[in-house]
Amino acid sequence: MASIHKEFVVDATPDQVWEVLADFGAVHERLAPGFVTDTRLDADTRTVTFADGTIVAERLVDLDPESRRVAYSVVGGHLHPAHHHASMQALPVENGKTLFVWHTDVLPDALAAPMAQSVEQGSAVIRRALQR
């Protein structure tokens, strides 16, 4: 199984970052505007449309305000992983800033490279969005 791990510091408080992360249905407006162009929420599953036209269905696995962590799994759309589990977490660091942690496990391994590229691009957009 391939694991993709990305961390970066955001000049915003963990509570400010969590407020955005917890808004599971507003990725296109709050977390990754431009990188994600649309999000539709239906019960525990969001349909996410990316700027490149890729559409994925992501099921909410956990939304934990105490640990400021959201976990989700790709369950449909253009990607068909045998397994996918991802989480994003807002952790406190010095000076009131936040360590943003994004971890993804995926099978088959062939999806690792394109998914890692997407995480890299998405992280740059997320960092800018969260520092506004």
Side-chain angles (χ1 to χ4, degrees):
M1 181 177 321
S3 289
I4 302 154
H5 189 83
K6 181 71 177 179
E7 295 183 1
F8 53 89
V9 175
V10 177
D11 190 10
T13 68
D15 287 339
Q16 290 170 321
V17 173
W18 173 246
E19 181 186 336
V20 174
L21 276 179
D23 198 351
F24 191 69
V27 177
H28 65 298
E29 296 171 331
R30 302 188 70 194
L31 185 64
F35 182 69
V36 173
T37 59
D38 190 42
T39 307
R40 305 272 181 208
L41 188 59
D42 182 20
D44 68 347
T45 303
R46 66 185 178 192
T47 301
V48 179
T49 304
F50 292 87
D52 68 0
T54 300
I55 298 171
V56 297
E58 299 174 336
R59 180 170 296 134
L60 180 63
V61 174
D62 187 37
L63 193 65
D64 183 354
E66 191 167 317
S67 67
R68 294 184 197 96
R69 180 179 170 271
V70 61
Y72 59 94
S73 180
V74 171
V75 294
H78 293 153
L79 298 179
H80 300 284
H83 173 82
H84 174 277
H85 181 268
S87 65
M88 296 177 169
Q89 189 169 16
L91 299 171
V93 292
E94 58 197 32
N95 300 324
K97 296 181 181 184
T98 301
L99 178 64
F100 188 94
V101 179
W102 187 358
H103 190 86
T104 304
D105 294 322
V106 65
L107 282 173
D109 289 345
L111 287 177
M115 200 159 286
Q117 181 180 15
S118 182
V119 166
E120 193 65 34
Q121 292 169 344
S123 292
V125 173
I126 290 168
R127 177 184 279 161
R128 283 192 303 272
L130 292 174
Q131 293 188 152
R132 288 187 183 152

